[in-house]
Amino acid sequence: MQKIIINIDGGSRGNPGPAAFGVVFSRENGVVVKSYGETMGIATNNEAEYGGLIFALKKAKQIFGKENIKQYVFEIKSDSELLVRQMQHRYKINGPKIQPLFLEAWNLLIDFSAVNFTAIPREQNSLADRLVNEALDKKI
């Protein structure tokens, strides 16, 4: 099975404040397939992180095809320990605004055969982080 790495990041200026996410699809060898940075209105950092995850899962189905994604192993890398641990069922989802986002992301996973979540240091997520800031800078 081919492996696709998806780096995601989300951020807001003000928490809550203007928010955006960055998503980078790359092959195992590091070659970037697609990258996106989009604003999402007013949100918290955690909501923006989930916004990036939900966008990434939906976009993966579009890029690779809903029927074909079962042929891939996806590794989602994020510098949000909260998001990663919640998706691994290691942390509870307490926030009333995060619960529906978690459920949406969880339901999107049904079509995938293999998705692994990895927490990474912020320094290893620089491209996704840059996309967040570029999207926020354009909006101002």
Side-chain angles (χ1 to χ4, degrees):
M1 287 186 137
Q2 277 190 305
K3 185 175 188 178
I4 300 295
I5 298 166
I6 307 172
N7 285 68
I8 61 171
D9 195 19
S12 73
R13 295 184 179 161
N15 204 29
F21 55 80
V23 175
V24 180
F25 289 85
S26 56
R27 302 218 179 267
E28 203 168 2
N29 62 5
V31 173
V32 173
V33 176
K34 296 272 186 184
S35 62
Y36 305 89
E38 295 196 12
T39 58
M40 52 182 286
I42 303 298
T44 66
N45 289 337
N46 291 332
E47 291 166 351
E49 296 280 359
Y50 269 97
L53 173 59
I54 291 165
F55 177 89
L57 295 171
K58 289 178 178 178
K59 195 55 84 170
K61 291 178 185 186
Q62 290 176 354
I63 294 170
F64 302 99
K66 188 176 177 182
E67 300 305 317
N68 296 328
I69 58 173
K70 292 192 182 302
Q71 300 171 19
Y72 293 91
V73 173
F74 291 89
E75 182 176 5
I76 297 178
K77 295 183 177 186
S78 172
D79 58 26
S80 170
E81 181 180 331
L82 179 76
L83 177 137
V84 169
R85 300 294 183 254
Q86 286 176 337
M87 294 307 295
Q88 294 171 336
H89 293 289
R90 293 172 63 189
Y91 285 0
K92 289 183 180 179
I93 297 98
N94 293 324
K97 289 187 174 184
I98 297 298
Q99 288 173 343
L101 297 172
F102 170 85
L103 288 173
E104 183 176 356
W106 193 255
N107 286 332
L108 287 167
L109 290 172
I110 291 170
D111 295 321
F112 294 81
S113 61
V115 178
N116 302 307
F117 289 88
T118 304
I120 59 173
R122 178 169 279 136
E123 309 82 60
Q124 292 179 17
N125 212 20
S126 58
L127 180 53
D129 180 65
R130 187 175 80 220
L131 294 167
V132 169
N133 286 301
E134 287 174 359
L136 286 170
D137 291 344
K138 283 182 191 172
K139 200 68 177 168
I140 293 174

